Amino acid sequence: MSDAFTTRVLHIASGAQEKVVDLTRDCESFLRETAAGRDGLLNVFVPHATAGIAIIETGAGSDDDLLAALHTLLPADDRWQHRHGSPGHGRDHVLPAFVPPHATLPVVSGRLELGTWQSVCLVDTNVDNPDRQVRLSFLG
């Protein structure tokens, strides 16, 4: 495979509760190994119908605020037509319309170009599937 395009799959154990998992260090580590000081793009993709990728501030309560906002927008109750798994699981299948399953980010001189408080995060509300994959791809 050309070194202009490199990909790696992360295996994330998100657990049995809704959570926001910060992937920023994993992304930076991947770029240190693959970008070799080049400019390009990092694509982060979660191949699951019930999870998404968000660029948000973490550690100051924003991750909990995001989960609370998702509960308001997408309550875990019996209103959903998609009905299997945990109560309200149908909302997990609507999540990617609000938190997309991908993000494409600039890489300059081999470094991820995020704002001061931005982090790359997996958003997982599906408590029935605690094992996730996240594909990192660098094109540069």
Side-chain angles (χ1 to χ4, degrees), residues 25-131:
R25 286 192 176 133
D26 294 303
C27 293
E28 291 170 339
S29 175
F30 171 69
L31 290 171
R32 275 193 302 276
E33 295 172 24
T34 61
R38 297 184 313 240
D39 294 351
L41 296 171
L42 173 68
N43 183 264
V44 184
F45 175 73
V46 57
H48 299 283
T50 58
I53 301 295
I55 309 300
I56 64 168
E57 177 181 6
T58 59
S62 296
D63 31 359
D64 291 333
D65 290 341
L66 173 58
L67 292 174
L70 290 172
H71 272 278
T72 300
L73 291 170
L74 306 170
D77 58 23
D78 64 357
R79 74 183 68 201
W80 308 101
Q81 291 183 37
H82 186 102
R83 296 176 188 250
H84 70 83
S86 299
H89 174 66
R91 78 177 187 117
D92 298 328
H93 288 273
V94 177
L95 173 76
F98 293 89
V99 182
H102 60 87
T104 300
L105 306 163
V107 176
V108 177
S109 300
R111 297 180 51 116
L112 191 56
E113 285 292 304
L114 292 173
T116 302
W117 304 112
Q118 291 180 316
S119 295
V120 181
C121 297
L122 169 69
V123 179
D124 189 0
T125 60
N126 182 356
V127 299
D128 294 334
N129 186 359
D131 299 313

